[in-house]
């Protein structure tokens, strides 16, 4: 942290708080200082309920995705320091006695997701393997002393079992850091004392099951981000730890974002030979995202839905910024929050069993809001004149219609996603993936336009016509499983049709193919004609003529085989299924209640442009402050603007180097004109202390934002870092 600045003063660096502060969203966000209505409270509770359900689903998904790699890691750690190894007295044991068991965990480039994975691994290890788990970060361990200090403080501070002692751990951390000698020898003495106590005394309930299996649980040290550690610090720590591995059951876990080659690049051969490394590969970030989308987006379990543009924004952020499924889930949360905040009718974005009671409690103003929806007006236009009058005038009749429309919308989603998955099963098997390799790409296409109107859809069905029987049967079986898992009554007929197709394909192998008599007639005729005695010229002429006639007759008389007919029936059925169920959401009445479409709002929050926002705020403060006195024509300086805005506007009129004295005089002139002070004193070079302090503060803020910097070319000048306005 640099403390050099244009203005000299006292700089305070506050320590980071170890406790995580949770920021809670209150219902005040929904009414913006106005009187709280029941509608606002209901929308806020709707947001909380939906997000809690999504959050629980995401946590279950995270546990399910990591269960395989966690099981293999736990098995490796348990086997790393067993009694059987200590009893072995052969050359392999003597060779490995100084090697530290090390797990190289390749987590991938999605760095924001690493925290959840490492935290889940740490919690699981503490529950099932050992209570001695330490998580280290590269930014906290710049020296070997800091590494050892962090390990000792975490292990000794986290050794308490009683709840009262656990609450006082963070108060005693600083005391431990001052009193203890940071060395592996002190850690070894502490561990030996701890294991002796655990064997002599009866263990607590929390560790009873743990100590029954292993009297000396291992010490697991997790290096979250190995790439950020200094190679020199890491090498020294490994060398020191290898000298105590016979006395301490140490296990290292390296969290890697790139590849295992990083270990050998950071460590010399003599140091890496002290590690017994085993590689573990986590799930790829793209597969993680596909599972998240399948559980949160492509389901009728949650009534809240994303439009095509919103989903495209979240998809682009994932692909071009961070590859983080965690940030994708946060984007879904922000979309849900914005939808419940901006859409007054979002109180109906709930489960179908709750919607009926909420519809009956709608006020007259809520009914008028429903009548103003474009999708509802389109629904009214399709009704009879008598129903139109009732829908537009009778609130009770409107509520009955709204209940039916919400049920229809719910059934639409129940049918939509199984059919979408069936279409993706077919298209993902085609070469070059005409409709996208991932289902999210196909879903975005279906949300933005009728998929059957795209050229890619036509090209895909042309490729379907050349599909082999075994491949087609395999795809039909997958589609049948998807439709059967949906368990919706309207898809029962489609399930029966697929089962009938599969039965017909099975019969094709049992029944022999019938000869096509019509196809044999031209051949027989040509053979008879060739049997006649003719000379060479007539024979050649007759052969050419008969060949052309034969080809023409074959084209006319050739009949498709039974497989080809059955394949065409399957494709017609799939096309009919797509056109029936994959309709645009805009065709459904009241789709505005559940679909969030403000992609620009989401992009502004997630894809922030800080430099552009700063320049807009400094050049046009009215854009954010909404004060009428701050309105000004382009290029002029408003004398009532904030000091930093005046300083920014004045610095735009300067060149590469800015004279601080001239800048102060210009600032004082503008400010005194606003306050009605005498400008003669300023012309004489007299500026009061308050005005001088305001100038220094504004210049320091501008330097902090990165617009200027001190320069050594001239002592009373600063260098400008930007050019032009915005």
């Amino acid at each position: 942290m640099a403390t050099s600045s244009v203005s000299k003063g006292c700089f305070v660096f506050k320590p980071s708080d170890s406790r995580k502060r949770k920021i809670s969203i209150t219902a005040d966000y929904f009414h913006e200082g106005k009187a709280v209505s029941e509608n606002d409270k209901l929308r806020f509770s709707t947001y909380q309920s939906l997000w809690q359900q999504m959050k629980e689903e995401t946590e279950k998904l995270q546990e399910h995705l990591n269960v395989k790699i966690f099981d293999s890691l736990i098995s490796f750690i348990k086997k790393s320091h067993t009694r059987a190894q200590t009893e072995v007295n052969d050359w392999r044991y003597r060779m490995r006695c100084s090697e530290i068991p090390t797990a190289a965990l390749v987590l991938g480039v999605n760095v924001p997701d690493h925290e959840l994975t490492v935290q889940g691994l740490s919690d699981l290890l503490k529950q099932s393997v050992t209570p001695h788990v330490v998580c280290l970060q590269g930014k906290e361990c710049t020296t070997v002393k800091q590494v050892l200090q962090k390990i000792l403080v975490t292990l000794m501070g986290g050794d308490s079992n009683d709840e009262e002692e656990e609450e006082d751990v963070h108060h005693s951390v600083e005391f431990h850091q001052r009193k203890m000698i940071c060395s592996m020898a002190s850690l070894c003495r502490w561990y030996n004392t701890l294991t002796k106590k655990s064997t002599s005394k009866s263990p607590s309930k929390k560790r009873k099951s743990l100590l029954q299996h292993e009297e000396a649980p291992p010490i697991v040290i997790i290096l979250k981000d190995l790439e950020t550690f200094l190679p020199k610090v890491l090498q020294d720590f490994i060398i020191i730890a290898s000298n105590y591995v016979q006395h301490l059951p140490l296990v290292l876990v390296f969290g890697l974002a790139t590849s295992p080659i990083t270990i050998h690049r950071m460590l010399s051969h003599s140091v890496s030979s002290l590690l017994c490394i085993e590689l573990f590969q986590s799930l790829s970030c793209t597969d993680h995202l596909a599972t998240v989308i399948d559980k949160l987006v492509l389901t009728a379990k949650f009534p809240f839905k994303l439009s095509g543009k919103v989903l495209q924004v979240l998809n682009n952020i994932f692909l071009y910024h961070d590859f983080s499924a965690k940030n994708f889930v946060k984007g879904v949360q922000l979309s849900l929050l914005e939808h419940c905040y901006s859409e007054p009718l979002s109180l109906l974005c709930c489960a179908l069993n709750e919607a009926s009671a909420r519809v009956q409690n709608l006020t007259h103003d809520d009914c008028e809001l429903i009548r103003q929806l474009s999708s509802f007006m389109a629904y009214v236009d399709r009704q009879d004149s008598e129903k139109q009058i009732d829908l537009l005038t009778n609130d009770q009749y409107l509520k009955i219609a709204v209940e039916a429309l919400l049920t229809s919308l719910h059934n639409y989603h129940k049918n939509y996603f199984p059919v979408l998955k069936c279409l993706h099963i077919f298209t993902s098997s085609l070469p070059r993936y005409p409709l996208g390799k991932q289902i999210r790409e196909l879903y975005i296409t279906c949300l933005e336009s009728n998929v059957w109107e795209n050229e890619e859809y036509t090209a895909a069905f042309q490729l379907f016509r050349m599909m082999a029987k075994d491949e087609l049967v395999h795809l039909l079986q997958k589609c049948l499983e998807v439709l059967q898992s949906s368990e919706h009554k309207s898809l029962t007929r489609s399930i029966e049709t697929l089962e009938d197709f599969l039965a017909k394909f099975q019969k094709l192998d049992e029944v022999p193919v019938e000869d096509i008599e019509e196809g044999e007639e031209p051949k027989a005729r040509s053979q008879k004609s060739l049997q006649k005695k003719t000379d060479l010229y007539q024979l050649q002429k007759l052969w050419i003529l008969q060949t052309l006639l034969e080809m023409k007759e074959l084209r006319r008389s050739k009949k498709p085989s039974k497989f080809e007919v059955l394949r065409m029936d399957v494709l017609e059925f799939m096309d009919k299924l797509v056109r029936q169920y994959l309709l645009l959401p805009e065709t459904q009445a009241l789709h505005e209640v559940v679909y969030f479409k403000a992609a620009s709002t989401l992009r502004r929050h997630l894809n922030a442009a800080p430099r552009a926002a700063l320049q807009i705020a400094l050049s046009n403060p009215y854009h954010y402050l909404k004060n009428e006195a701050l309105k000004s024509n382009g290029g002029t300086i408003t004398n009532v603007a904030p000091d930093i805005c005046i300083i920014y506007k004045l610095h735009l009129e300067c060149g590469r180097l800015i004279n601080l004295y001239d800048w102060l005089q210009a600032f004082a002139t503008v400010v005194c004109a606003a306050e009605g002070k005498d400008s003669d004193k300023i012309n004489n070079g007299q500026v009061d202390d308050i005005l001088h302090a305001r100038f220094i503060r504004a210049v320091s803020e501008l330097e902090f934002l990165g617009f200027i910097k001190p320069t050594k070319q001239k002592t009373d000048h600063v260098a400008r870092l930007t050019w032009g306005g915005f």
Side-chain angles (χ1 to χ4, degrees), residues 468-522:
K469 186 186 71 172
D470 295 339
E471 187 178 5
L472 187 60
V473 170
H474 179 65
L475 296 179
L476 287 177
Q477 290 175 348
K478 284 186 175 181
C479 291
L480 182 61
E481 293 175 0
V482 171
L483 295 182
Q484 287 176 344
S485 62
S486 63
E487 298 181 355
H488 199 257
K489 295 181 180 179
S490 60
L491 295 175
T492 305
R493 185 175 298 178
S494 301
I495 294 174
E496 295 175 354
T497 306
L498 285 179
E499 292 175 347
D500 185 41
F501 280 138
L502 290 173
K504 290 181 179 179
F505 276 114
Q506 189 175 2
K507 289 181 180 179
L508 287 179
D509 298 333
E510 300 173 358
V511 180
V513 180
E514 298 179 359
D515 296 331
I516 303 176
E517 297 180 356
E518 292 82 2
E520 294 181 352
E521 291 181 359

Side-chain angles (χ1 to χ4, degrees), residues 358-591:
R358 296 191 180 187
V359 168
Q360 296 301 325
N361 294 330
L362 290 176
T363 63
H364 177 72
D365 295 337
D366 296 333
C367 294
E368 290 297 326
L369 290 175
I370 293 176
R371 294 187 178 102
Q372 294 174 7
L373 296 177
S374 58
S375 62
F376 184 78
M377 291 303 298
Y379 168 77
V380 172
D381 293 339
R382 296 192 298 266
Q383 305 303 315
D384 298 335
S385 57
E386 296 180 357
K387 292 184 178 179
Q388 289 180 357
I389 295 173
D390 291 335
L391 289 171
L392 297 176
T393 58
N394 191 345
D395 289 349
Q396 191 60 35
Y397 186 82
L398 174 69
K399 293 178 181 180
I400 298 175
V402 167
E403 287 187 26
L405 292 176
L406 290 177
T407 304
S408 176
L409 186 62
H410 180 74
N411 294 332
Y412 162 77
H413 288 130
K414 276 199 167 183
N415 297 329
Y416 188 97
F417 295 114
V419 175
L420 177 71
K421 293 177 181 178
C422 289
L423 180 60
H424 177 255
I425 289 173
F426 271 81
T427 57
S428 62
S429 63
L430 297 177
R432 296 185 180 181
Y433 311 105
L435 288 175
K437 183 178 181 180
Q438 302 292 337
I439 191 172
R440 62 176 182 268
E441 302 172 6
L442 177 61
Y443 183 45
I444 292 172
T445 303
C446 294
L447 288 176
E448 293 180 346
S449 62
N450 293 322
V451 65
W452 56 85
E453 296 177 356
N454 297 337
E455 296 179 358
E456 292 81 4
Y457 182 84
T458 306
F461 270 77
Q462 289 178 354
L463 294 174
F464 289 153
R465 294 186 178 93
M466 297 182 289
M467 192 172 290
K469 186 186 71 172
D470 295 339
E471 187 178 5
L472 187 60
V473 170
H474 179 65
L475 296 179
L476 287 177
Q477 290 175 348
K478 284 186 175 181
C479 291
L480 182 61
E481 293 175 0
V482 171
L483 295 182
Q484 287 176 344
S485 62
S486 63
E487 298 181 355
H488 199 257
K489 295 181 180 179
S490 60
L491 295 175
T492 305
R493 185 175 298 178
S494 301
I495 294 174
E496 295 175 354
T497 306
L498 285 179
E499 292 175 347
D500 185 41
F501 280 138
L502 290 173
K504 290 181 179 179
F505 276 114
Q506 189 175 2
K507 289 181 180 179
L508 287 179
D509 298 333
E510 300 173 358
V511 180
V513 180
E514 298 179 359
D515 296 331
I516 303 176
E517 297 180 356
E518 292 82 2
E520 294 181 352
E521 291 181 359
K523 296 181 181 179
R525 292 174 185 173
S526 62
Q527 290 177 358
K528 291 179 181 180
S529 62
L530 289 174
Q531 290 176 359
K532 295 180 180 180
K533 293 182 179 181
T534 55
D535 55 7
L536 183 61
Y537 175 75
Q538 291 178 350
L539 183 63
Q540 184 179 7
K541 184 178 179 180
L542 183 62
W543 180 79
I544 295 174
L545 181 62
Q546 291 295 332
T547 303
L548 294 175
L549 290 174
E550 181 182 350
M551 293 174 62
K552 188 175 181 180
E553 289 180 3
L554 282 174
R555 290 177 181 176
R556 290 181 178 178
S557 60
K558 184 180 179 181
K559 292 183 179 180
S561 63
K562 290 186 176 181
F563 166 68
E564 293 174 344
V565 174
L566 191 56
R567 181 173 58 188
M568 290 301 299
D569 293 341
V570 171
L571 297 182
E572 290 178 1
F573 166 75
M574 287 301 302
D575 182 62
K576 182 180 178 182
L577 202 66
V578 169
R579 293 173 184 267
Q580 181 180 359
Y581 292 109
L582 295 187
L583 300 173
L584 292 175
E586 287 77 9
T587 60
Q588 306 299 313
L590 302 182
H591 70 273

Side-chain angles (χ1 to χ4, degrees), residues 6 611 647 651 656 658 660 663 698-711 718-722:
V6 175
R611 175 62 65 181
I647 288 292
H651 111 285
R656 189 178 66 87
I658 306 175
L660 286 173
W663 202 3
V699 171
S700 300
E701 292 173 351
L702 206 63
E703 180 194 2
F704 176 76
L705 295 176
F707 289 94
I708 60 173
K709 70 173 183 178
T711 179
V718 292
R720 180 177 169 184
L721 300 178
T722 59

